[in-house]
Amino acid sequence: MNYHIGLVEDDGNIQNIVSAYLRKEGYEVTIMDSAEKGWELWENNPPDMWILDIMLPGMDGYEFCRKLRNESDVPIIIISAKDDEIDKILGLELGGDDYLTKPFSPRELTARVKRLFKRTLPVKQTSEVGDDRLKVDHLLIYKNDRRIFFEGKEYEATTKEYDMLLLLAENPNRAFSREELLMKIWGNDYFGSDRAVDDLIKRIRKKMGNIPLETVWGFGYRLRKDED
């Protein structure tokens, strides 16, 4: 599969070098020099991943990242000359999956792109057997096809929404702490606040309405399964 990457960067040299390395690896790359142009691309031909500079003319990268996260869980790698810890924390808490400080090696960026795709966009498998079916009351998940149904209606889910629901459905009635969910869904190397867990749960609840996704106050979350 040829993944499509949106590169939002206003430095022509970085545009040329990064796009050359990514295209050499077989990725389709669309280059934009402003977040406004990036948003147009998002609305018309959304990429599978974003590489996003922070300091841009007009809308900055933080605001663009925030807008993307309000609509999608698409992978985002932030590249920035800002190397203070607070800048990195802000970028990751707004929804960035990775943060790379300029100047950086294009080989390292390419390696991070590969790793992030492998982690967030697993290859779909097909199967004719029914052992991929997971049902918890009114929630039905087809694991091989990554399809989710609740109360008979199919819902589109982002990568992390799907991963969260699958984990909770495989462990009904078990309470997971926020830290545990952060590690299992975002990975051991995630550097950010556990508020990302709350935001993801909020999006799932908004999307699926009556789903029995319960808050365990002061601890975390669980998917309730009615006992017979």
Side-chain angles (χ1 to χ4, degrees):
M1 177 177 180
N2 293 326
Y3 289 125
H4 177 202
I5 298 175
L7 172 60
V8 186
E9 167 63 64
D10 61 342
D11 185 309
N13 289 330
I14 296 178
Q15 290 177 354
N16 294 335
I17 294 172
V18 169
S19 61
Y21 271 83
L22 293 174
R23 286 167 179 156
K24 186 177 179 181
E25 294 296 327
Y27 299 115
E28 176 189 350
V29 182
T30 300
I31 301 171
M32 295 140 289
D33 58 8
S34 72
E36 287 79 5
K37 292 178 181 177
W39 194 253
E40 289 180 15
L41 181 69
W42 172 250
E43 292 181 325
N44 295 294
N45 182 26
D48 301 300
M49 180 183 290
W50 291 89
I51 298 175
L52 174 64
D53 187 20
I54 291 300
M55 293 183 287
L56 296 166
M59 184 196 310
D60 67 18
Y62 289 135
E63 179 62 24
F64 184 58
C65 187
R66 183 186 294 111
K67 288 186 67 174
L68 282 175
R69 275 295 167 262
N70 286 337
E71 297 201 2
S72 171
D73 206 33
V74 60
I76 300 172
I77 296 178
I78 295 173
I79 54 176
S80 176
K82 294 185 174 184
D83 59 358
D84 290 340
E85 183 179 23
I86 188 64
D87 295 310
K88 296 178 182 179
I89 292 174
L90 179 58
L92 293 168
E93 287 191 344
L94 287 175
D97 295 282
D98 202 349
Y99 192 107
L100 195 57
T101 303
K102 298 177 182 178
F104 55 82
S105 161
R107 289 188 178 89
E108 180 183 358
L109 176 60
T110 302
R112 293 193 185 203
V113 167
K114 290 181 180 178
R115 183 168 169 272
L116 189 53
F117 270 136
K118 185 176 181 180
R119 195 179 83 200
T120 60
L121 298 176
V123 177
K124 293 184 180 181
Q125 300 176 344
T126 57
S127 173
E128 295 181 359
V129 298
D131 60 358
D132 72 317
R133 188 172 177 268
L134 177 62
K135 192 172 190 301
V136 179
D137 295 333
H138 299 293
L139 177 66
L140 176 61
I141 300 176
Y142 289 94
K143 294 189 284 186
N144 288 346
D145 295 329
R146 297 178 68 86
R147 298 176 68 190
I148 292 177
F149 294 81
F150 180 62
E151 295 182 335
K153 178 182 176 182
E154 184 171 7
Y155 288 86
E156 293 293 328
T158 65
T159 301
K160 286 190 173 63
E161 287 170 357
Y162 174 86
D163 290 345
M164 177 70 78
L165 285 169
L166 179 62
L167 174 65
L168 295 175
E170 288 177 334
N171 301 274
N173 293 327
R174 176 187 164 184
F176 286 88
S177 70
R178 288 176 174 83
E179 293 76 14
E180 195 174 6
L181 292 171
L182 199 65
M183 182 185 69
K184 290 181 179 294
I185 304 302
W186 279 263
N188 293 327
D189 58 347
Y190 178 76
F191 183 65
S193 166
D194 60 9
R195 285 185 298 180
V197 175
D198 298 330
D199 291 340
L200 184 59
I201 294 291
K202 187 184 301 183
R203 293 205 303 268
I204 294 173
R205 285 171 169 166
K206 183 178 180 180
K207 185 176 289 187
M208 298 187 183
N210 297 325
I211 189 168
L213 193 49
E214 295 183 338
T215 300
V216 182
W217 296 107
F219 184 74
Y221 299 94
R222 68 172 165 234
L223 181 68
R224 189 188 72 245
K225 182 181 187 300
D226 293 334
E227 302 293 341
D228 294 333

